[in-house]
Structures are given as structure tokens and as C-alpha cells.
Amino acid sequence: MTFTFEQTDAGSRLTNVTYFPSHEALEQVVAMGAVEGSRMAMDQLDAVLVSLREYAQGKGTRTEILDDQHVRITRLIDGPRDLVWRAHHEPALMEKWMLGPDGWQMVECTVGDTYRYVWQQGDDESTRFGFEGETVLSEPQWREVTTEKMIGMDGPGTLNDIQLYEEDGATLLTLVIEYPDKETRDMILATGMTDGMEASYARLEETVLAAR
């Protein structure tokens, strides 16, 4: 692998060339999603090179459509990364913030190599719904990749890649969601997903600040 850095009027140009021992080896890496993964990583370089607070503070939860199958969610949490990580893995903390719109409560929270979350609106058990999945990759306190599927629903689910980057006591949370197709992506976005996530992330920030 060779990396070349060039100065331009608009900033810096980074060129990465990777050489493979065979065409088959190249095809295998491409099939594993290396191109998409590299693009998503490179897209976050600008955030790393400026102050996190300058980049994201006060802007709430932002949703970017990357392509037909990928969406990126970003939210700056005013708190250290270790607490943000704990708030994603300790049921006692998760039950305080992972709620969505006002009036909902988490009634089941199981975490580990597999997970299961169930919510209901107020005391009405007929409104219950939830998600379940398994952990594909876990690198504590900075990255986790999980599958996600609505409980009781047929068909493919999503692949969720969450990364945490801390600077000056603030943590940039980046969530890249891979949908099975464009139709599923558009259907979920149309449910008001971003607003619901902002309500939850605002509670997450309050929970992290209280846990300091």
C-alpha cells in the first residue's frame, strides 16, 4: 500500500494505491466491502482535522444519505467516550435514554453477543415492538458492528456500524447503517427516524453528564 499527499488550493489530496498478489485476491477484498468501508472512513477525515465542537456542536442529529444502501448518522455528545460506550452497553443506563419519542419506555433490555430491546408506549402492552441482533465486531470504547432486525418481521435486517471519537471531553458518535435496498432505506427514513434519534441522543447526553 502506498499513500501520497498533495497540497491543493482546496486542501489536501490523499491518494492510496493498494497492490494485490492476484486478481482473485482483489475481487475477494472488494466483495467484503473494502471500497465502501474505505470511502466511509475517508469521509470522516474532515471531522478529525477540525475541532469536534466546531464541526458538530449545536447541530443535533444529522442524517446523510451516502448511497442507495448506506446512511450516516452523526451526533456530538458532550461527554467522554468511555461513558458514551457504557451508555450503549449497560442496561441501567440504556433504559434512561434509548427511548425515542416522549411517552415510550424500554421494557426489555438484553445485551451481550446477542441483544434484544423492547419498548412500549406508556402502560399499553399492545404497542410493544422491538429489535434484536448480534454483535459482528466489537472493539471496546470506539467501534462496534451489529446486525439489527425488527422482532417478528421476515426479511433481511440492517448492519449498524457505530464509531466513537473523543476530543476535548466531547465524543462524536457516527453510525453508518447498511440497508438491504433503497426501498427499505426510504421507508425507515420516512418514519421520522432522525427526530426520534435526536430525542434519544439528547437524553443520552443528559445521562452521560449525570454519570460523570
Side-chain angles (χ1 to χ4, degrees):
M1 299 175 68
T2 64
F3 294 85
T4 304
F5 301 88
E6 303 172 74
Q7 183 174 339
T8 73
D9 293 338
S12 297
R13 178 182 295 111
L14 165 60
T15 303
N16 167 219
V17 180
T18 303
Y19 298 89
F20 294 86
S22 67
H23 182 70
E24 290 75 18
L26 168 61
E27 288 184 328
Q28 181 180 15
V29 173
V30 170
M32 292 170 62
V35 175
E36 293 81 3
S38 296
R39 181 179 295 115
M40 292 173 189
M42 294 296 182
D43 284 347
Q44 298 182 79
L45 276 175
D46 287 338
V48 175
L49 296 174
V50 301
S51 161
L52 281 186
R53 296 185 186 277
E54 176 185 348
Y55 174 76
Q57 191 166 42
K59 297 179 180 178
T61 300
R62 293 187 289 177
T63 300
E64 303 170 77
I65 296 176
L66 303 179
D67 56 38
D68 286 351
Q69 290 181 265
H70 297 89
V71 169
R72 179 168 55 219
I73 311 293
T74 55
R75 175 60 151 85
L76 186 71
I77 307 298
D78 191 3
R81 178 171 59 184
D82 65 318
L83 289 181
V84 177
W85 179 268
R86 285 177 51 200
H88 279 81
H89 294 85
E90 297 181 13
L93 295 177
M94 296 169 68
E95 291 168 1
K96 294 180 179 180
W97 72 269
M98 196 178 285
L99 304 175
D102 291 337
W104 288 83
Q105 60 177 317
M106 179 178 276
V107 296
E108 185 177 341
C109 182
T110 304
V111 297
D113 292 338
T114 61
Y115 69 88
R116 179 183 172 95
Y117 310 142
V118 178
W119 297 267
Q120 72 180 38
Q121 189 172 26
D123 298 324
D124 186 357
E125 295 186 5
S126 68
T127 62
R128 287 193 176 186
F129 78 99
F131 294 95
E132 59 187 359
E134 62 181 22
T135 301
V136 177
L137 172 69
S138 180
E139 299 183 359
Q141 297 197 4
W142 85 273
R143 187 184 182 199
E144 188 166 73
V145 181
T146 60
T147 62
E148 181 178 275
K149 188 174 183 180
M150 183 173 285
I151 297 171
M153 295 292 288
D154 295 328
T158 64
L159 187 68
N160 301 342
D161 186 342
I162 185 172
Q163 298 186 33
L164 305 176
Y165 176 80
E166 181 184 353
E167 180 184 287
D168 190 29
T171 301
L172 181 66
L173 182 155
T174 301
L175 170 63
V176 175
I177 305 174
E178 180 178 291
Y179 296 96
D181 49 55
K182 181 178 183 297
E183 291 71 27
T184 303
R185 182 204 71 184
D186 291 344
M187 178 184 68
I188 294 177
L189 289 179
T191 64
M193 181 187 76
T194 302
D195 291 339
M197 295 183 77
E198 171 55 25
S200 289
Y201 285 147
R203 293 191 191 99
L204 168 59
E205 192 166 62
E206 292 174 0
T207 300
V208 167
L209 292 173
R212 280 179 168 179

